[in-house]
Amino acid sequence: MKVLISDFKEIMQKNNNVEMKLLKRNHPDWRIAVQSYDLKNPKPFYDELKDADALITAFLPIDQRLLDEAPKLKLISISAVGYEKVNLQLVQKKGVRVCAIGEYCTQDVAEFTMSLIFALVKRLKQYDRLVNEEHRWEYDAFMAQPRLSKMTLGILGYGRIGSQVAKMANAFGMRVIAYSRHALVGTNCEGVDFVTEDEVFAKSDVVSNHMRATADNYHFFDAVTFNKMKQKKPYFINVSRGETVDEKALLFALNSGMIRGAALDVLESETPNLIDNPLLQKNNVLISPHAAFYSQDSMATLQRISCQNVISFFEGQEEKVFNFVD
């Protein structure tokens, strides 16, 4: 029995001692391999995969080649909530089971979202550069901003994370509006006014994206969408998935003043080019390396569930596997 732990080398954990301890606790004979996936040299990964019974990963694309290179593979344990990288039709044909993690970081992502809102509205990046790079001590170097309690937050994607962000924003006195396919436009629930998509774009001082990555949501935030924001010129937050945003359209919206700034925890690629990316050069853009989920508590839960899913599956207790998605 062999378990392979892998992801893109750029986002692999520095060590996987916790997972190895969990997997071997009651199965000391299990072989646990850790091998990152290098886009330029994937051979070491495929060499390890060829005799693996289980794969633990978060972001590797589960495609035809991967499945062809893994004749013994029986289970893929996704160390994430989203599983959009998995071709479910292919895994079903191959008879490989797939499970994901339903919940482990709602609080963390919501807290991170609020941190990004504060950083943008309070111009922390600009002030930091002003003092550290230009050595200027000028509180009024930038235009004064309204208080948060005078601002409207618009949320797209009103699931667990979106609703938690709404609660936090309400606590700071923000008006919160949201669009959800599951809520009736014109209703109010727990301090949130549910409106149309266009109303979110037209009335928000901050637009926060918490939508899942689906085929329908690919490049949801495009030139047309950003153009609908130009009246209010909001700040834009993305802690969802990079694929939901057309980065060329986002850059144009920033350069043309359709939006005041952006905070992005995700980019279109999980292995982005950080050398020539024009978004990194902008004073009103904050970028973090898909870190919103990351805390001691979330990581402990993530590691425990992804490993326990493997253990339960191979112990013949499939009823204990959390969230089969295939």
Side-chain angles (χ1 to χ4, degrees), residues 106-119 153 161 165 168 206 208-210 237-240 263 292:
T106 294
Q107 182 73 13
D108 307 283
V109 177
E111 290 175 359
F112 203 90
T113 301
M114 292 306 300
S115 298
L116 295 177
I117 292 173
F118 275 114
L153 171 64
I161 294 172
V165 170
M168 293 181 179
V206 181
S208 192
N209 174 32
H210 302 281
I237 312 285
N238 187 18
V239 293
S240 175

Side-chain angles (χ1 to χ4, degrees), residues 205-222:
D205 299 291
V206 181
V207 173
S208 192
N209 174 32
H210 302 281
M211 297 188 303
R212 292 177 56 194
T214 65
D216 291 338
N217 289 338
Y218 179 76
H219 281 188
F220 175 89
F221 292 93
D222 57 12

Side-chain angles (χ1 to χ4, degrees), residues 29-49:
D29 58 320
W30 282 10
R31 290 182 296 140
I32 315 300
V34 177
Q35 176 62 58
S36 63
Y37 182 94
D38 186 342
L39 285 167
K40 296 180 180 178
N41 181 28
K43 186 177 185 302
F45 164 76
Y46 287 119
D47 286 345
E48 289 288 358
L49 182 66

Side-chain angles (χ1 to χ4, degrees), residues 33-260:
V34 177
Q35 176 62 58
S36 63
Y37 182 94
D38 186 342
L39 285 167
K40 296 180 180 178
N41 181 28
K43 186 177 185 302
F45 164 76
Y46 287 119
D47 286 345
E48 289 288 358
L49 182 66
K50 64 184 179 183
D51 60 345
D53 299 277
L55 171 64
I56 298 177
T57 187
F59 297 108
L60 290 185
I62 310 302
D63 54 18
Q64 186 70 59
R65 182 182 178 186
L66 185 145
L67 293 170
D68 286 345
E69 297 275 359
K72 293 184 62 181
L73 194 64
K74 302 175 185 67
L75 178 72
I76 300 170
S77 180
I78 303 297
S79 294
V81 174
Y83 49 91
E84 63 274 3
K85 300 295 184 181
V86 181
N87 187 319
L88 293 177
Q89 290 184 332
L90 289 180
V91 296
Q92 288 167 357
K93 288 180 181 179
K94 287 282 187 176
V96 178
R97 301 303 310 272
V98 181
C99 52
I101 298 174
E103 154 58 28
Y104 74 101
C105 63
T106 294
Q107 182 73 13
D108 307 283
V109 177
E111 290 175 359
F112 203 90
T113 301
M114 292 306 300
S115 298
L116 295 177
I117 292 173
F118 275 114
L120 279 179
V121 173
K122 302 301 182 181
R123 299 186 184 276
L124 297 188
K125 181 176 182 178
Q126 289 96 322
Y127 277 126
D128 183 73
R129 286 185 171 179
L130 186 77
V131 174
N132 285 290
E133 296 179 15
E134 300 181 34
H135 309 299
R136 293 165 57 192
W137 192 258
E138 302 173 28
Y139 69 87
D140 58 351
F142 310 107
M143 184 181 297
Q145 298 288 290
R147 293 172 176 166
L148 282 183
S149 60
K150 301 292 185 181
M151 303 180 79
T152 296
L153 171 64
I155 296 175
L156 288 106
Y158 197 78
R160 283 189 297 265
I161 294 172
S163 60
Q164 187 63 28
V165 170
K167 290 178 183 178
M168 293 181 179
N170 271 328
F172 284 102
M174 298 186 78
R175 182 196 176 203
V176 181
I177 61 176
Y179 169 75
S180 172
R181 295 174 182 173
H182 307 293
L184 185 64
V185 170
T187 60
N188 180 287
C189 180
E190 297 182 340
V192 178
D193 293 315
F194 288 96
V195 299
T196 65
E197 287 181 11
D198 286 350
E199 285 182 281
V200 171
F201 303 140
K203 296 180 178 180
S204 300
D205 299 291
V206 181
V207 173
S208 192
N209 174 32
H210 302 281
M211 297 188 303
R212 292 177 56 194
T214 65
D216 291 338
N217 289 338
Y218 179 76
H219 281 188
F220 175 89
F221 292 93
D222 57 12
V224 174
T225 304
F226 285 118
N227 188 59
K228 293 178 181 179
M229 301 182 194
K230 64 183 180 182
Q231 179 178 349
K232 262 292 201 177
K233 297 180 174 59
Y235 292 102
F236 177 70
I237 312 285
N238 187 18
V239 293
S240 175
R241 285 290 189 263
E243 302 98 309
T244 61
V245 179
D246 180 341
E247 289 180 9
K248 291 181 179 179
L250 171 62
L251 185 63
F252 180 81
L254 287 161
N255 290 337
S256 61
M258 291 179 184
I259 59 176
R260 298 178 192 274

Side-chain angles (χ1 to χ4, degrees), residues 275-294:
I275 304 299
D276 302 316
N277 192 323
L279 290 170
L280 272 68
Q281 312 305 320
K282 302 195 71 61
N283 210 27
N284 59 342
V285 175
L286 299 170
I287 299 179
S288 51
H290 205 156
F293 76 96
Y294 189 59

